[in-house]
Amino acid sequence: MMMYSCAIKAVKTKLQVLNDELSMTRKRNPIEFIETRVKRPDSIATKLKKKHLPISVESVRSNLNDVAGVRVICAFLDDIYKVADMLTAQDDVELIKTKDYIKKPKMNGYRSLHLIISVPVYFSDHKEQIRVEVQIRTIAMDFWASLEHRIYYKKGKDNQALRQELKDCADISAQLDLRMQAIRSDIENC
């Protein structure tokens, strides 16, 4: 777990440096805030069992991409892709996989850009490449996802009307993101 925690620190530092640089060069911060987490051991074991994989350190390293997680919250849609491009352009960051749930939302309306990256973590006697899942989304996407998780997973799994209402809210949230992006673009072009 310590290795994954160190990988999170490395990625978070990279993102903070990019945000600081853009604050100086472009006079605005694309990143509103960053959240991190290391998956709990019981959640790791449950996921491995569900995939019918052995529960071992090697199995975790080989089969799971989301033990270390970083969530980046941006104000605007175009910031999501700028942050992703800047992060993955760094020569010590290896992009393993991209899932773009913004361009192709999940059936429930979920939107976010997911990157699986690998970063080097330096220890006293060796270096390890550690995978980290980076989710990048807008404030509106994050608000919707947080509330959807609380509502749906607590009470609504079998409620079709609730699922439709949550999907409608996701669509409204996506429209809000587009409108806010357009307003900012108009202001910048004046």
Side-chain angles (χ1 to χ4, degrees), residues 32-44:
E32 293 292 319
F33 57 94
I34 301 168
E35 298 174 341
T36 64
R37 66 109 180 100
V38 175
K39 193 178 277 282
R40 294 186 337 264
D42 59 320
S43 296
I44 293 169

Side-chain angles (χ1 to χ4, degrees), residues 61-79:
R61 286 184 188 175
S62 301
N63 299 300
L64 298 184
N65 292 321
D66 64 344
V67 174
V70 176
R71 184 171 297 143
V72 181
I73 310 304
C74 299
F76 298 100
L77 280 168
D78 65 348
D79 290 336

Side-chain angles (χ1 to χ4, degrees), residues 76-110:
F76 298 100
L77 280 168
D78 65 348
D79 290 336
I80 292 171
Y81 295 102
K82 284 178 191 168
V83 168
D85 289 344
M86 289 184 298
L87 178 63
T88 58
Q90 295 186 10
D91 62 6
D92 63 345
V93 174
E94 177 189 356
L95 178 62
I96 296 170
K97 188 175 188 178
T98 302
K99 290 183 183 177
D100 192 337
Y101 297 116
I102 298 168
K103 291 181 180 165
K104 189 174 180 187
K106 288 187 174 185
M107 293 292 291
N108 67 349
Y110 175 82

